[in-house]
DNA sequence: CTGATGGCTTGATGTTCATCAAGCGTCGAA
DNA sequence: TTCGACGCTTGATGAACATCAAGCCATCAG
């Protein structure tokens, strides 16, 4: 499928590429191709060799892990995001299965070209390192969330994070099916249901996918959110990488601090 | 404290630095200093500003996370390892507390110098990206381990991994206190004790910190280890980064594949 | 309209895990 | 040596969570 110039611009605007030279960008995107996938398509299977860096331009994709006939979703990606960067950098097998949740436009960049570009363009290599750092920190947050909090607390914090990211309005709509949310939060759909029921006592009303947080203070007292686990960075309009998410000045702006 | 040339050589041999130019290495190590810490010393607190890249030259350090008066250990590092690289790259606050478990020799490199070197030396920036990729994949494994397996299965797989990493002998000694191991595996010391008791039925004998795996096949049938979660890469003699750990050819050597 | 499907909810039940409490053994200091 | 501290173990109990089963409700094809 041909790449439209508009798509190319969106990729160029990614933090990953916004700083690299024109030559690097041309080299990396030369053999690229854009593809549209229907919902439920498996893009990459756990253990597959990874030949491409994927860029989600439109749609939603889920990263999941499997063991012993059980599966769990590790992350849910929205546009514009790259994924399986780490496997590409190391030229290793993928550790996660990638699957579309909705119809998605996905750009595929040659992994070999990426690695070549890193060696040639220090700015690009730095951008890759920054993106990876952001991904890493995201996972640290997820792991702490999983090991330190119980199911109800995870849901409460998810709702608070979602609220601020969607603009801060007291009522918003869940971006995914509840069964997907359950897997992301590390619980069964049944227990997610019960957790929502429990949160009624804390001012959380739900009607289908519509959620309204009636008494934020009460919910927060239960959730005890902290910047060491929860990243309340609002999703701004422009395309943003995982790195920028982590740059958010939690306490005091340090851009000129050192 | 003065840096001995021998220490400098060990750092130079790290995958992080083995490929970078002499100039870069000199720049990065110029303002470095080596420090020896007693056991139980907190090197860095969750949320602290991170000004240095730490390199563990000798000893053991634990990375832990905290929430609501609970704590959990996220990783245990052996020499030679770097830590909090991601925070350094992004010039962000640390997400984990770092504490020595034993007396440790730790080299501290200026974070600013690291970032400067990355911009100047593409080879170094690539090495940073590779190290971060290795750390990222390690966390993915940990998260899958945590979300998909139960406590006994986690212990069983830990023992199997430990066995192969320590040379494959049926009997070996646990490298940490059991309370630390429990926290790493995401359970209480009490339940770790009970899990060991359960594993007696699977041929696992324990006498203090000495563990012997009597019937490996039986234990494996319970543990169901998989390269998608467990990294059975043996710890070779030389200093090895997290990246090399992930480069292990799981199925077929691809070093010359592309 | 009818029926089937699939996501969600609710209840009943059992497993897993944490907590509380007590006891045992080892080690180190007085 | 004696005492106390600490790590580990074991038992009893309760909380959190998964599983199984049934039912509700919206959507959609026939």
């Amino acid at each position: 499928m041909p790449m439209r110039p508009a798509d190319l611009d969106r990729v160029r605007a990614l933090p990953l590429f916004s700083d690299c030279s024109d030559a690097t960008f041309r080299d990396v995107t030369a053999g690229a191709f854009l593809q549209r996938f229907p919902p439920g398509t498996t893009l990459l299977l756990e253990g597959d060799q990874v030949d491409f860096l994927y860029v989600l331009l439109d749609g939603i994709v889920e990263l999941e892990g499997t063991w012993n006939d059980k599966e769990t979703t590790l992350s849910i990606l929205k546009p514009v995001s790259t994924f399986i960067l780490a496997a590409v950098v190391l030229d290793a097998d993928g550790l996660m299965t990638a699957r579309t949740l909705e119809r998605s436009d996905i750009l595929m960049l040659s992994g070999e070209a990426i690695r070549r570009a890193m060696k040639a363009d220090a700015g690009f290599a730095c951008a890759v390192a920054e993106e990876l750092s952001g991904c890493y920190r995201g996972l640290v947050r997820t792991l702490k969330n999983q090991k330190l909090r119980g199911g109800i607390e995870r849901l409460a914090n998810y709702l608070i994070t979602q609220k601020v990211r969607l603009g801060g309005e007291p009522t918003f709509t869940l971006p995914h099916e509840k069964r997907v949310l359950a897997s992301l939060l590390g619980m069964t759909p049944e227990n997610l249901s019960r957790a929502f029921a429990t949160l009624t006592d804390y001012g959380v009303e739900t009607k289908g996918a519509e959620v309204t947080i009636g008494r934020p203070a009460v919910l927060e007292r239960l959730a005890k959110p902290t910047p060491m686990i929860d990243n309340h960075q609002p999703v701004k309009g422009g395309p943003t990488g995982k790195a920028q998410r982590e740059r958010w000045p939690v306490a005091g702006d340090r851009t000129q601090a050192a």
Side-chain angles (χ1 to χ4, degrees), chain A residues 21 34 84 213:
Chain A
S21 72
L34 181 64
I84 52 169
I213 297 180

Side-chain angles (χ1 to χ4, degrees), chain A residues 64-102:
Chain A
E64 66 175 28
T66 307
W67 182 74
N68 199 27
D69 294 324
K70 285 193 277 271
E71 51 185 52
T72 189
T73 116
L74 301 171
S75 182
I76 296 179
L77 305 172
K78 299 183 198 326
V80 181
S81 300
T82 64
F83 53 102
I84 52 169
L85 218 207
V88 166
V89 167
L90 293 178
D91 194 13
D93 294 349
L95 289 181
M96 308 183 276
T97 294
R99 160 189 308 164
T100 57
L101 287 182
E102 301 184 353

Side-chain angles (χ1 to χ4, degrees), chain A residues 167-188:
Chain A
E169 295 303 311
T171 152
F172 56 89
T173 130
L174 297 173
H176 319 290
E177 287 182 345
K178 285 183 182 166
R179 49 182 299 284
V180 175
L181 179 56
S183 181
L184 182 67
L185 294 178
M187 43 183 160
T188 59

Side-chain angles (χ1 to χ4, degrees), chain A residues 119-236:
Chain A
K119 292 198 185 75
D121 184 336
F124 179 61
C126 286
V128 169
E130 290 176 7
E131 176 78 5
L132 283 166
S133 296
C135 295
Y136 176 82
R137 287 167 66 88
L139 266 190
V140 171
R141 293 172 188 279
T142 302
L143 185 58
K144 286 163 70 174
N145 191 43
Q146 188 67 37
K147 287 183 76 175
L148 291 168
R149 305 215 261 227
I152 295 174
E153 294 156 339
R154 289 198 294 273
L155 174 59
N157 278 291
Y158 174 84
L159 294 178
I160 291 173
T161 300
Q162 215 54 30
K163 178 188 159 197
V164 20
R165 289 205 179 163
L166 296 180
E169 295 303 311
T171 152
F172 56 89
T173 130
L174 297 173
H176 319 290
E177 287 182 345
K178 285 183 182 166
R179 49 182 299 284
V180 175
L181 179 56
S183 181
L184 182 67
L185 294 178
M187 43 183 160
T188 59
E190 293 96 324
N191 276 332
L192 177 62
S193 231
R194 286 185 259 264
F196 267 116
T198 302
L199 289 188
T200 298
D201 302 340
Y202 296 84
V204 177
E205 307 286 328
T206 58
K207 191 173 301 181
E210 298 277 311
V211 177
T212 117
I213 297 180
R215 285 168 290 165
V218 175
L219 187 60
E220 291 221 356
R221 203 154 42 83
L222 168 69
K224 299 188 238 330
T226 157
M228 298 293 92
I229 299 182
D230 311 287
N231 191 338
H232 287 173
Q233 168 99 353
V235 179
K236 292 286 189 171

